Amino acid sequence: MAENPFFAPSDLPYELPPFADIREEHYLPAFERGMAEQLAEVDAIASGTEPPTFANTIAALERSGRILDRTATVFFSIAASNSTDGIMEIEKEVSPQLTRHSDAIRLNRALWARIKQVSTEDAEESWLLEKYRDDFVRAGADLSEPEQDRLRALNEELSTLSTAFSQSLLKASTESALVVTDPKELDGLDEAKIESLRKDDGTYVLPLLNFTAQPGLAQLTDRDVRRRLYELSVGRAPGNFGVAAKMAGLRAERAALLGFPSHAAYTVANQTAKTVEAVEEMLGQLVGPAVRNAKKEAEALAEQAGFAIEPWDWPYYSEKVRQARYDFDGSAMRPYFELNRVYRDGVFFAATKLYGVTFAERSDLGGYHPDVTVFEVLDGDGSRLGLFVLDPYARATKRGGAWMNNLVDQSFLFGLRPVVMNNLNVTKPASGPTLLTYEEVNTAFHEFGHALHGLFSQVRFPRVSGTSVPRDFVEYPSQVNEMWVTWPEVLANYAKHHETGEPMPAELVEKLKAAEKFNQGFKTVEYLAATLLDWSWHKLAAGESVADPEAFEAGALEAAQIAFPLVRPRYRTNYFAHIYAGGYSAGYYSYIWSEVLDAESVEWFKENGGLTRANGDHFRGELLSRGGSIDPLTAFRNFRGREAGIGPLLARRGLS
């Protein structure tokens, strides 16, 4: 395997992975060699005879594992974006191996003894040193041998279960899809959308996206079809209930082993929230107003429908009420939201105005799929900043949702510039332009906020590069970037009719803004229900078992006073990928925790002139460029000039 492309750094610009050269048979040998090489490097550090210093211990650890890093970065990006049966088999095999590998490093007593002796006067080095010490303690470095053995077993089992949950959910997106034979049942969807759903056997298949309220529920006119779609959505991957309950129990045991009363307490201890009580205090301020608003909205929907609505009716009749009350029809915006124009004249335009960066498509640089586009990003002075990789379309081989990840981490240690990727799940039309919904446009700006966090990173060490910040802070910059979606100068530049080029009518924009707070009760309850469900699963104490996960779910929502039959959680337990197949266990609260900071920041931008280069440079310099190299709330205070309060968030959501 001398030709294995992972064995040496890519020779493409910015070390973009050479996707054209990578084959499935390259992964396992690269993982094997990468893990062996890093363990040898770690053993050399741990057995060093020189007194431990930052350079020969922490910086040396930062330099270790380059083959493994390249391999894992590409593999897990492909597993999420363009998986195959072969990739899924490799994932099953390698995930527990990687868990064992991580434990072998962080439970290395000789290495831990050296780390504890390191000291440094440099501020960035001190911050990184504390991160390493926290990582090792939280990984069990101070446990006894028998306790570490049990921890290793728990970690490996959790890794295996997480892979099983993820793969089950990926299959369910198509296996539980809505299948119809008569296109009349899809009345309400536009013709292009219906045509994109037609399969070779004459059926029409509407796959499930990874949340409860499927987009089709707002458009399908046939109530029974809406019911079928909704029931498929909430009932998918039923085997995942048991997997989730098992994982929650194992996480509780691991937390107790590490000295915490629950996995929630373990998780928040190194986040900006710090304590369970701080999270619960914030959530407690939102539940009552959100439920009251949702109940008022339900009354309006029932009046519009003329009957007692069911959960599958809510999205459909909320659009009807929105049209009646605000004379606003969301579908009327789609002709003005063409995918390429949204990015080039909207997302990129706003970034150029704020930060001076420019974007040039690199058709000579390929991705892992024909739908992937690569852009070179240049800074305001014309210097090379990094690459932005865009993969916008849904497919059966891609997991649901939208996300950003780094293909190459910026660091001065390695002299690397960032390569960042955004994945969306937009339905690709059979022909013609790709027209987005307003929600999809918002998602594009949101994910690009993450991309900017990665692109603007200016740090020495990869461990703190870009979005390597606490989970309850990482969503904050991306949420701020959503403010430019309807900013007049930005909207006028990209919201143009895909056929005529005419700008979106001003009255449609005004109606959108007037209608934005409508249905916020639903959206907030849906989100809070998922958040509190996550919290309930992860407040279990060691030894608590859940025999009936669905009953536990219902009881948890009742206990949190968020149970409302017409609004189920945005994610139920069986398809809650954030917490069982991602990094958000006991962390889904992060979105609204970050939104407190976001709402404060949007207020600051508006107070200081909005879309200006001076404002962008301030946000970039004090916050986006710092990655995880300083305390995140210090970075926020340096930008905002004060602590954050919840008032702007309550006002934004109509909950004050």
Side-chain angles (χ1 to χ4, degrees):
M1 298 294 287
E3 75 283 3
N4 192 308
F6 293 114
F7 288 174
S10 168
D11 59 6
L12 292 175
Y14 302 90
E15 294 195 16
L16 176 73
F19 292 110
D21 300 330
I22 296 170
R23 301 188 301 277
E24 286 184 11
E25 59 263 31
H26 290 138
Y27 288 116
L28 283 175
F31 272 121
E32 181 180 344
R33 178 164 165 177
M35 286 186 278
E37 182 181 273
Q38 187 173 32
L39 287 180
E41 292 166 336
V42 167
D43 285 342
I45 296 167
S47 60
T49 56
E50 295 293 321
T53 64
F54 185 90
N56 67 23
T57 305
I58 304 301
L61 285 170
E62 287 288 283
R63 289 190 176 92
S64 71
R66 301 307 293 158
I67 290 177
L68 180 58
D69 181 65
R70 287 193 292 269
T71 308
T73 297
V74 171
F75 177 79
F76 288 106
S77 295
I78 297 298
S81 303
N82 197 33
S83 190
T84 64
D85 289 342
I87 291 288
M88 292 173 77
E89 286 304 312
I90 295 169
E91 188 177 18
K92 288 179 185 176
E93 182 174 347
V94 81
S95 291
Q97 292 179 22
L98 289 170
T99 299
R100 290 194 294 272
H101 176 75
S102 177
D103 284 342
I105 295 172
R106 293 184 176 178
L107 300 180
N108 183 317
R109 293 191 182 279
L111 177 62
W112 177 224
R114 288 183 67 84
I115 290 173
K116 287 191 285 189
Q117 296 177 61
V118 173
S119 63
T120 176
E121 297 298 320
D122 180 89
E124 189 171 346
E125 290 179 357
S126 294
W127 182 254
L128 180 61
L129 175 59
E130 288 309 308
K131 280 186 171 294
Y132 264 90
R133 286 175 173 161
D134 187 57
D135 287 346
F136 273 69
V137 170
R138 291 170 61 83
D142 284 330
L143 297 181
S144 68
E145 288 290 349
E147 289 171 330
Q148 287 189 353
D149 288 343
R150 179 56 185 156
L151 183 64
R152 289 186 180 95
L154 288 169
N155 288 341
E156 188 169 338
E157 187 171 4
L158 281 165
S159 175
T160 300
L161 289 169
S162 180
T163 300
F165 187 100
S166 176
Q167 295 189 354
S168 171
L169 190 53
L170 179 62
K171 290 179 180 178
S173 66
T174 51
E175 291 176 355
S176 298
L178 176 71
V179 181
V180 302
T181 54
D182 185 351
K184 292 179 181 178
E185 291 189 282
L186 300 176
D187 180 62
L189 304 182
D190 62 49
E191 290 184 13
K193 173 72 172 178
I194 293 173
E195 182 61 23
S196 73
L197 302 177
R198 187 164 62 85
K199 302 302 176 186
D200 292 339
D201 62 0
T203 62
Y204 296 80
V205 179
L206 188 60
L208 299 179
L209 299 184
N210 200 36
F211 35 77
T212 296
Q214 299 295 307
L217 295 173
Q219 302 162 309
L220 294 164
T221 59
D222 188 318
R223 192 181 185 210
D224 187 61
V225 174
R226 293 200 304 271
R227 176 191 60 77
R228 285 155 51 198
L229 176 60
Y230 182 86
E231 290 178 348
L232 286 167
S233 180
V234 298
R236 77 186 96 163
N240 274 353
F241 278 111
V243 175
K246 178 70 171 174
M247 289 181 71
L250 294 175
R251 285 170 174 168
E253 182 184 350
R254 182 175 62 183
L257 194 60
L258 294 166
F260 292 88
S262 67
H263 181 70
Y266 168 79
T267 296
V268 300
N270 72 342
Q271 303 295 297
T272 65
K274 301 299 184 189
T275 67
V276 166
E277 291 75 22
V279 174
E280 292 179 345
E281 180 183 358
M282 186 268 291
L283 296 176
Q285 295 179 63
L286 298 171
V287 169
V291 172
R292 286 195 295 273
N293 272 24
K295 288 181 176 178
K296 288 179 184 177
E297 291 166 3
E299 292 172 2
L301 302 189
E303 183 179 344
Q304 176 71 30
F307 54 80
I309 64 168
E310 296 288 350
W312 48 86
D313 297 315
W314 189 299
Y316 183 80
Y317 284 102
S318 68
E319 285 303 308
K320 297 294 184 187
V321 171
R322 199 192 308 266
Q323 290 176 32
R325 187 175 291 181
Y326 302 100
D327 191 25
F328 175 72
D329 179 4
S331 64
M333 303 187 85
R334 288 192 69 197
Y336 300 91
F337 292 151
E338 190 274 322
L339 174 69
N340 287 319
R341 181 166 269 162
V342 165
Y343 270 95
R344 296 168 195 263
D345 298 339
V347 174
F348 294 168
F349 173 79
T352 300
K353 284 288 185 180
L354 269 177
Y355 308 111
V357 293
T358 55
F359 303 82
E361 184 175 343
R362 291 289 301 264
S363 56
D364 59 316
L365 298 178
Y368 49 84
H369 190 278
D371 291 338
V372 173
T373 306
V374 180
F375 298 88
E376 185 170 28
V377 188
L378 301 180
D379 216 336
D381 61 1
S383 62
R384 298 187 304 153
L385 188 63
L387 294 179
F388 172 64
V389 181
L390 178 63
D391 182 358
Y393 292 117
R395 48 185 170 265
T397 56
K398 184 192 259 189
R399 70 174 170 87
W403 64 95
M404 168 268 189
N405 62 288
N406 278 16
L407 291 173
V408 178
D409 290 323
Q410 178 275 329
S411 76
F412 297 137
L413 184 70
F414 292 113
L416 291 175
R417 296 180 177 91
V419 178
V420 303
M421 181 164 66
N422 276 176
N423 271 271
L424 308 182
N425 261 283
V426 176
T427 300
K428 188 175 184 179
S431 61
T434 302
L435 303 180
L436 306 183
T437 65
Y438 174 70
E439 290 74 19
E440 288 169 336
V441 174
N442 203 69
T443 297
F445 276 81
H446 175 99
E447 294 304 329
F448 195 71
H450 285 306
L452 289 171
H453 203 177
L455 286 165
F456 288 153
S457 177
Q458 290 286 291
V459 301
R460 289 163 62 189
F461 304 106
R463 169 68 176 79
V464 293
S465 181
T467 55
S468 299
V469 296
R471 282 290 186 189
D472 59 6
F473 191 82
V474 74
E475 296 298 334
Y476 153 53
S478 57
Q479 289 170 334
V480 170
N481 206 56
E482 295 174 25
M483 73 176 289
W484 310 116
V485 174
T486 55
W487 195 262
E489 185 180 357
V490 178
L491 189 70
N493 200 61
Y494 78 87
K496 297 177 181 179
H497 198 282
H498 71 99
E499 292 179 331
T500 67
E502 290 295 313
M504 183 181 289
E507 59 269 24
L508 187 57
V509 179
E510 291 308 311
K511 289 174 183 177
L512 165 67
K513 291 180 177 178
E516 274 191 312
K517 286 184 182 176
F518 177 75
N519 213 38
Q520 280 296 327
F522 172 90
K523 290 179 180 177
T524 309
V525 168
E526 180 191 50
Y527 168 78
L528 288 174
T531 299
L532 290 160
L533 179 59
D534 167 31
W535 206 242
S536 297
W537 276 117
H538 293 114
K539 280 192 72 179
L540 290 173
E544 284 190 77
S545 61
V546 175
D548 186 339
E550 292 192 73
F552 176 88
E553 179 180 283
L557 298 175
E558 286 285 351
Q561 299 183 325
I562 198 72
F564 185 32
L566 296 181
V567 184
R568 289 182 110 153
R570 180 172 174 81
Y571 304 100
R572 291 189 69 205
T573 301
N574 46 318
Y575 47 94
F576 208 159
H578 281 74
I579 67 172
Y580 291 115
Y584 279 79
S585 59
Y588 195 63
Y589 78 90
S590 301
Y591 288 90
I592 206 147
W593 185 272
S594 293
E595 196 178 345
V596 172
L597 306 178
D598 156 37
E600 280 274 14
S601 300
V602 168
E603 204 169 77
W604 180 91
F605 272 102
K606 290 179 177 178
E607 290 169 355
N608 288 278
L611 189 75
T612 69
R613 179 68 184 276
N615 287 346
D617 286 348
H618 179 58
F619 191 49
R620 176 179 178 175
E622 295 293 349
L623 201 139
L624 295 179
S625 67
R626 306 303 297 273
S629 65
I630 66 170
D631 173 64
L633 292 185
T634 298
F636 172 80
R637 286 190 296 271
N638 291 344
F639 160 70
R640 183 66 176 101
R642 70 179 191 214
E643 303 282 350
I646 201 170
L649 170 65
L650 294 175
R652 169 193 287 185
R653 287 183 170 249
L655 302 176
S656 19

